Amino acid sequence: MGLEQNQFSGMKKILFLITKSEIGGAQKYVLDLAMGAKNAGFEVAVASQQNSHIYEALLKHNIKFIEVKHLQRDIDPILELQLAWELYKIIRKEKPDILHLNSSKVGALGAVIGKLAGAPKIIFTAHGWAFNDPRPPLQLKIITFISRFAARFQDKIICVSEYDRQKALEYKIAPAEKFVTIHNGINAKKIELIARDEAREKLKLDKKDFVIGTIANFYKTKALDTIVLSAISAVHENSNIKFILIGDGPEMGKIESLIQKYKLDEYFILPGVIKNASIYLKAFDIFVMSSKKEGLPYALLEAMAAKVLCVTSTVGGIPEIISNEQNGILIRDMTPGKLQETITKLAENKLKMKEMAKAGQLTVIDRFSLERMIRETLEIYEK
């Protein structure tokens, strides 16, 4: 990493708190930062729901994991009170110099409880603001109010994209000096990948298939139905086309129903959750991100690092990564028709695909490194 032991000496102990321990962008962020902070000489602990993957990853690096039993994504008044007391006891016991909160729910509740429990410094990372979701006006007002209230107890707010920082200022969440933008980063040169033919064999794909793929939690904001609906016309343009959607979640039933409704079963593979799914990226010809909301997605950085051409919607911090037709394709207001048309054109120009994919890989190596992300975050801890 290039970060020497005890390089940062101002603070001694960091407690990371995150709502969900299922593997996603925010979870990867916490794991990477926890390991980076430990390597830099901090004492580190991570508190979250119980999950074997995150527990094993932390155990491997001798990082303490604390199970938070009453932590869940949905709101339940009784459980919230139990959670508040549980968090208070954890923070009082651990006595962190820095409490680093991740995800909207613990960002709010954790900030208030952290202050009451005597945490000297509270940092919150916004992995895409909740008020960026498509929501009814009343919900937006409530979420904005809660975000503003919580910000009073947060000493610094890290935004993973400049888009999110600007939206926070637009919604008057906190004064400008409280915000900092630190893009997510990965170690692109060490990303673990299976060779193309082997990856395709394991995913039950043929060598001649033109593969459109994604890796995502099946949430409504991921808009995976856009990919399914694009296939209705795409399969008539290219008989060798195949779609693979890796992941699971509440929208799985809807996606399966759409595939059956339009008789697309032979063109789709839904393998569910795959551990370390990014190792299969070489199996894809095109990686699609059809989301309606994003922060700065790790899945996109990993696909670009794997030298796979990425086609994405222009949401969140994605335009801060991709320049259209240079290192990937951006589709404004993505629809099934626009996605299908883009896929068809790309399939006819494989050389252009390779050139953009190579440029995408260089972008991640040059501008979105894990070392930079860790260094800039540790500097925030130290200030």
Side-chain angles (χ1 to χ4, degrees):
M1 285 296 173
L3 297 169
E4 296 180 2
Q5 186 82 3
N6 296 321
Q7 178 182 348
F8 297 88
S9 58
M11 296 294 180
K12 295 180 180 178
K13 185 171 184 177
I14 307 169
L15 174 61
F16 292 94
L17 181 60
I18 186 167
T19 305
K20 299 178 296 177
S21 57
E22 68 185 31
I23 296 306
Q27 292 70 32
K28 178 174 175 53
Y29 173 90
V30 168
L31 284 172
D32 285 342
L33 274 185
M35 288 184 277
K38 186 175 187 299
N39 291 338
F42 289 87
E43 183 183 350
V44 178
V46 176
S48 182
Q49 294 171 325
Q50 181 61 270
N51 176 280
S52 59
H53 179 89
I54 198 168
Y55 173 76
E56 289 166 8
L58 292 169
L59 185 66
K60 181 180 177 182
H61 294 274
N62 198 29
I63 295 173
K64 183 178 181 179
F65 176 78
I66 303 163
E67 181 183 2
V68 186
K69 295 179 180 178
H70 296 98
L71 198 50
Q72 61 174 14
R73 192 175 190 185
D74 298 329
I75 303 296
D76 181 307
I78 295 175
L79 283 177
E80 300 313 312
L81 290 173
Q82 293 174 320
L83 173 60
W85 178 239
E86 186 178 11
L87 292 179
Y88 180 83
K89 289 191 294 182
I90 289 171
I91 296 166
R92 291 289 292 177
K93 180 181 179 182
E94 295 298 318
K95 294 183 174 59
D97 296 289
I98 297 171
L99 177 63
H100 191 156
L101 308 168
N102 295 268
S103 73
S104 299
K105 182 173 178 178
V106 297
L109 183 61
V112 177
I113 299 302
K115 193 63 70 175
L116 291 172
K121 189 169 187 176
I122 298 174
I123 294 174
F124 170 57
T125 295
H127 299 276
W129 292 101
F131 49 72
N132 288 340
D133 288 353
R135 295 175 184 269
L138 180 59
Q139 282 190 22
L140 284 175
K141 287 183 179 180
I142 294 171
I143 289 169
T144 303
F145 172 79
I146 292 172
S147 299
R148 288 173 182 164
F149 179 73
R152 293 173 177 269
F153 303 92
Q154 296 157 353
D155 297 295
K156 203 73 176 176
I157 300 171
I158 297 173
C159 297
V160 297
S161 69
E162 182 60 20
Y163 171 87
D164 277 339
R165 191 181 77 88
Q166 292 297 333
K167 293 297 284 186
L169 293 174
E170 179 186 326
Y171 278 84
K172 297 180 171 58
I173 300 304
E177 59 269 19
K178 205 167 239 191
F179 294 99
V180 62
T181 298
I182 301 178
H183 288 131
N184 291 336
I186 64 171
N187 193 336
K189 293 181 179 179
K190 289 190 176 181
I191 184 171
E192 186 181 351
L193 296 165
I194 296 176
R196 181 180 174 89
D197 288 348
E198 182 185 354
R200 289 198 164 198
E201 182 180 349
K202 290 189 175 183
L203 294 174
K204 298 181 173 57
L205 293 162
D206 196 272
K207 289 183 180 180
K208 70 177 185 299
D209 289 337
F210 186 73
V211 179
I212 313 300
T214 197
I215 301 170
N217 289 319
F218 282 43
Y219 296 145
K220 192 172 183 178
T221 54
K222 298 297 182 181
L224 297 175
D225 56 335
T226 300
I227 300 176
V228 177
L229 295 173
S230 76
I232 297 171
S233 298
V235 297
H236 296 296
E237 298 287 342
N238 186 344
S239 59
N240 290 329
I241 199 166
K242 284 286 191 301
F243 294 82
I244 180 163
L245 312 180
I246 300 176
D248 200 352
E251 290 286 294
M252 176 62 86
K254 177 183 177 180
I255 297 304
E256 290 174 331
S257 296
L258 280 175
I259 291 170
Q260 292 170 7
K261 178 180 178 180
Y262 293 103
K263 297 179 173 56
L264 296 168
D265 300 72
E266 65 179 293
Y267 300 101
F268 273 85
I269 296 174
L270 302 178
V273 175
I274 299 177
K275 188 175 181 180
N276 299 324
S278 60
I279 66 175
Y280 295 98
L281 282 165
K282 283 289 187 184
F284 300 178
D285 290 292
I286 295 175
F287 179 92
V288 174
M289 183 163 279
S290 52
S291 306
K292 301 292 186 186
K293 175 207 169 186
E294 286 289 346
L296 196 113
Y298 276 102
L300 178 58
L301 295 177
E302 289 170 343
M304 293 171 72
K307 208 157 53 171
V308 177
L309 176 63
C310 296
V311 175
T312 73
S313 51
T314 54
V315 297
I318 291 177
E320 295 166 42
I321 307 172
I322 291 183
S323 298
N324 190 36
E325 296 191 5
Q326 294 181 34
N327 59 355
I329 300 291
L330 291 172
I331 301 178
R332 187 172 298 279
D333 300 320
M334 185 184 287
T335 63
K338 287 181 181 179
L339 178 57
Q340 178 270 318
E341 184 180 349
T342 300
I343 290 170
T344 300
K345 286 181 179 178
L346 289 170
E348 296 169 355
N349 194 342
K350 302 288 179 62
L351 179 59
K352 180 65 173 174
M353 284 179 58
K354 288 182 179 180
E355 289 174 352
M356 288 190 289
K358 176 60 177 175
Q361 183 187 52
L362 292 175
T363 296
V364 177
I365 292 171
D366 293 342
R367 293 176 44 216
F368 297 93
S369 73
L370 176 60
E371 181 177 357
R372 173 205 50 79
M373 182 192 88
I374 292 173
R375 183 183 66 251
E376 291 178 5
T377 307
L378 295 186
E379 286 171 356
I380 296 297
Y381 293 162
E382 185 70 6
K383 284 179 181 177

